């Protein structure tokens, strides 16, 4: 039902019956198939299932900049690449300074995650691709100073 508190109860019951280990993977798969993304991902975080979390975020980059903090230490290149794609995509759809600020906030997050090279090439590409968007260029110049 999307309530991750039941995961602990379920785990406790299965552990008492001694069948947790053999059912763990199928329970995670069932939760993933339930399309309760937030619940599934919070369970993956609590169970330290970073590879599964990475696979899910790559499949559906919903809230990438939230979940990336759990993944960037073990999978920096994959996270940087995904950030690059998502920022490029959102920039193509952005139309005003408010949206540009969201984009540069995500670039700043990428920089915090030590993705400086990715951020630098992304900024350069966006500046070349959108030379007629002065508000975007202004915001990109501000975030570029953080490099």
């Amino acid at each position: 039902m999307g309530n991750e508190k039941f995961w602990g109860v379920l785990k406790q019951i299965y552990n008492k019956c001694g069948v947790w280990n053999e059912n763990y993977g199928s329970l995670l798969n069932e939760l993933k198939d339930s399309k309760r993304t937030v619940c599934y991902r919070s369970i993956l975080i609590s169970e330290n299932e970073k590879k599964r979390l990475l696979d899910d975020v790559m499949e559906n980059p919903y809230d990438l900049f939230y979940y990336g903090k759990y993944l960037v230490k073990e999978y920096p290149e994959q996270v940087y690449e995904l950030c690059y794609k998502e920022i490029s995509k959102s920039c193509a759809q952005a139309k005003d300074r408010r949206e540009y600020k969201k984009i540069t906030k995500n670039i700043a997050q990428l920089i915090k995650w030590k993705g400086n090279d990715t951020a630098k090439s992304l900024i350069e590409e966006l500046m070349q691709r959108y030379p007629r968007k002065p508000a975007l260029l202004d915001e990109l110049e501000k975030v570029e100073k953080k490099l």
Side-chain angles (χ1 to χ4, degrees):
M1 300 300 292
N3 184 344
E4 62 262 14
K5 291 177 183 142
F6 287 112
W7 182 261
V9 174
L10 193 63
K11 187 174 184 176
Q12 200 173 28
I13 292 168
Y14 275 69
N15 269 325
K16 276 185 184 172
C17 297
V19 293
W20 174 248
N21 290 338
E22 58 261 30
N23 288 289
Y24 175 72
S26 61
L27 287 170
L28 281 177
N29 291 337
E30 190 176 328
L31 183 58
K32 179 180 170 54
D33 294 342
S34 75
K35 304 294 184 210
R36 306 263 184 206
T37 305
V38 174
C39 179
Y40 176 62
R41 290 180 178 182
S42 70
I43 297 298
L44 292 178
I45 291 165
S46 70
E47 293 290 335
N48 203 29
E49 288 282 351
K50 293 186 179 172
K51 179 66 174 117
R52 276 186 183 247
L53 181 60
L54 175 67
D55 293 343
D56 196 60
V57 170
M58 289 182 80
E59 190 178 304
N60 177 8
Y62 162 78
D63 270 355
L64 164 65
F65 292 91
Y66 174 76
Y67 295 106
K69 66 185 172 191
Y70 298 103
L71 300 168
V72 76
K73 281 185 182 170
E74 283 86 353
Y75 306 103
E77 293 309 313
Q78 292 92 326
V79 171
Y80 299 161
E81 183 182 331
L82 199 53
C83 288
Y84 191 100
K85 288 178 186 173
E86 286 304 301
I87 292 168
S88 293
K89 190 166 82 176
S90 52
C91 197
Q93 299 166 353
K95 291 174 180 47
D96 60 28
R97 188 175 291 267
R98 185 180 53 82
E99 292 173 334
Y100 301 151
K101 284 185 180 201
K102 283 182 188 175
I103 289 163
T104 55
K105 181 182 171 203
N106 289 340
I107 294 172
Q109 183 62 59
L110 179 59
I111 293 167
K112 277 186 195 171
W113 289 338
K114 300 182 180 21
N116 293 24
D117 293 342
T118 304
K120 187 178 170 94
S121 63
L122 179 59
I123 290 168
E124 288 171 7
E125 182 187 316
L126 295 176
M127 286 177 155
Q128 287 176 358
R129 194 184 306 163
Y130 303 106
R132 294 193 195 135
K133 291 186 176 186
L136 173 61
L137 296 176
D138 182 46
E139 294 301 323
L140 289 171
E141 285 171 8
K142 288 177 190 175
V143 79
E144 190 176 33
K145 291 176 184 170
K146 295 180 181 182
L147 285 170

